[in-house]
Amino acid sequence: MSASAMNKKQCVTCNKSGGILICDGCQQSFCGKHVIEHRQELAGQLDNIMQEHDLLQQDLLQPSSKKDALLERIDHWEKYSIAKIQMAAETARTTLKELLEQSKERLAKKFPDIAESFAHLVKLMIFQRT
C-alpha cells in the first residue's frame, strides 16, 4: 500500500472511503449517509440529557412528597421522644419526692426517741457528777 492509500480515511460504519466527514466530538470518520445517522444519534442523546436535566431541576426546585413524609416522620419522632422524656422526668421527680417524704417521716418518728435518749444521757451525766 502506498502512503496515500494508508492515509485515506474510511467510514467507521461501512468502511467506504468516499465523501468522508470527521466528527469534531468523537474524531471518528463517517460517509455522507452515516454522518447523518451519527448526528441523529447524538441529537437523541442530547434530548435524553436535556430531559434528565429538566427532571432533576424539577426535583430540586419542588419538594417531593417523599421528602415531606420523611420530615413529618422526624417531627413525629421528635414530639414522641420529648413527651417520653417529659414522662420519665415526671416519674423521677415523683419518685424522688416520695423517697424524701419517707425519709422525713422516718426521721420524724425517730426524733422523739433520739431526743428522749439524749435527755436520759444528760440526766445520767448530771447524776454521775453529783
Side-chain angles (χ1 to χ4, degrees), residues 48-94:
N48 289 339
I49 290 170
M50 293 302 291
Q51 286 175 358
E52 287 180 30
H53 169 270
D54 292 343
L55 290 173
L56 181 58
Q57 189 172 16
Q58 275 182 336
D59 285 348
L60 292 174
L61 295 177
Q62 297 175 357
S64 73
S65 60
K66 285 183 181 180
K67 290 178 190 172
D68 291 343
L70 290 174
L71 290 174
E72 285 178 18
R73 285 180 63 190
I74 290 171
D75 291 343
H76 176 73
W77 168 79
E78 178 186 26
K79 289 175 186 172
Y80 175 77
S81 297
I82 289 170
K84 214 171 165 185
I85 290 167
Q86 288 172 334
M87 286 191 303
E90 189 56 39
T91 301
R93 279 188 208 97
T94 303

Side-chain angles (χ1 to χ4, degrees), residues 20-68:
I20 296 298
L21 299 169
I22 298 174
C23 174
D24 287 336
C26 66
Q27 298 300 313
Q28 290 183 337
S29 303
F30 295 96
C31 65
K33 175 185 174 189
H34 291 119
V35 77
I36 293 170
E37 291 174 6
H38 182 62
R39 196 174 280 177
Q40 289 171 343
E41 182 183 324
L42 292 176
Q45 289 176 1
L46 183 60
D47 284 344
N48 289 339
I49 290 170
M50 293 302 291
Q51 286 175 358
E52 287 180 30
H53 169 270
D54 292 343
L55 290 173
L56 181 58
Q57 189 172 16
Q58 275 182 336
D59 285 348
L60 292 174
L61 295 177
Q62 297 175 357
S64 73
S65 60
K66 285 183 181 180
K67 290 178 190 172
D68 291 343

Side-chain angles (χ1 to χ4, degrees), residues 74-117:
I74 290 171
D75 291 343
H76 176 73
W77 168 79
E78 178 186 26
K79 289 175 186 172
Y80 175 77
S81 297
I82 289 170
K84 214 171 165 185
I85 290 167
Q86 288 172 334
M87 286 191 303
E90 189 56 39
T91 301
R93 279 188 208 97
T94 303
T95 303
L96 180 61
K97 286 177 184 177
E98 289 173 0
L99 289 173
L100 290 173
E101 191 59 37
Q102 289 172 5
S103 294
K104 279 184 187 178
E105 288 174 6
R106 274 187 263 139
L107 284 175
K109 288 179 183 175
K110 289 183 180 182
F111 188 72
D113 293 338
I114 293 171
E116 187 180 316
S117 295

